[in-house]
Amino acid sequence: MSKVVLTDLEFEVPPNWQDQGMVTLTIPSTDKNVRPNIIITKERLAQPVDLKTYFAKIKEAVQARGIQTFQILDERQIQVGGIPAMQMVCSWDLEAMKQMLGDNPDALKNIQPGQKVQQIQVSFIKEDVAVNLTASFPAEQFEIYSRPFQKFIATIKSV
């Protein structure tokens, strides 16, 4: 039987269950309107796929959101826990995203004109498991928040 361990919670997983899912971590912020976060998803792959092909699908899904101001700022291969990974940094204007969400008055209600977000997307594959780390930060504070994200990535170990 395998075990899942979170910061303050631990549970056993029956042998015939699969652990797929998502965890969101929030990085501390001094601004009450900013909640920088890291979303970690784990996906069991139905069939083998190489990293380049998998990452192309992830990139396509991000671009398919249809945000008009979306742009890729950087894309490169990196290592995560000794495993080859792909990293992409992208950006968009939150006002464009707000418009895309339509008439929902609560959708991104604190957005100011010209406010941009930058996002880091990191993906790697270990055996039949794909892991995606997505971190979103206000563009003007990207350098501040990307440092703890990169330190977090450096702690990942393959077990």
Side-chain angles (χ1 to χ4, degrees), residues 42-69:
K42 180 179 179 181
E43 172 187 5
R44 297 239 175 227
L45 301 170
Q47 49 191 291
V49 63
D50 64 279
L51 178 61
K52 184 177 178 180
T53 302
Y54 180 81
F55 193 71
K57 289 180 183 178
I58 294 294
K59 186 164 78 169
E60 183 180 305
V62 172
Q63 291 172 317
R65 293 179 193 158
I67 303 170
Q68 292 180 357
T69 58

Side-chain angles (χ1 to χ4, degrees), residues 31-48:
D31 183 340
K32 64 181 174 109
N33 293 320
V34 175
R35 293 192 48 148
N37 61 65
I38 302 168
I39 299 171
I40 306 161
T41 59
K42 180 179 179 181
E43 172 187 5
R44 297 239 175 227
L45 301 170
Q47 49 191 291

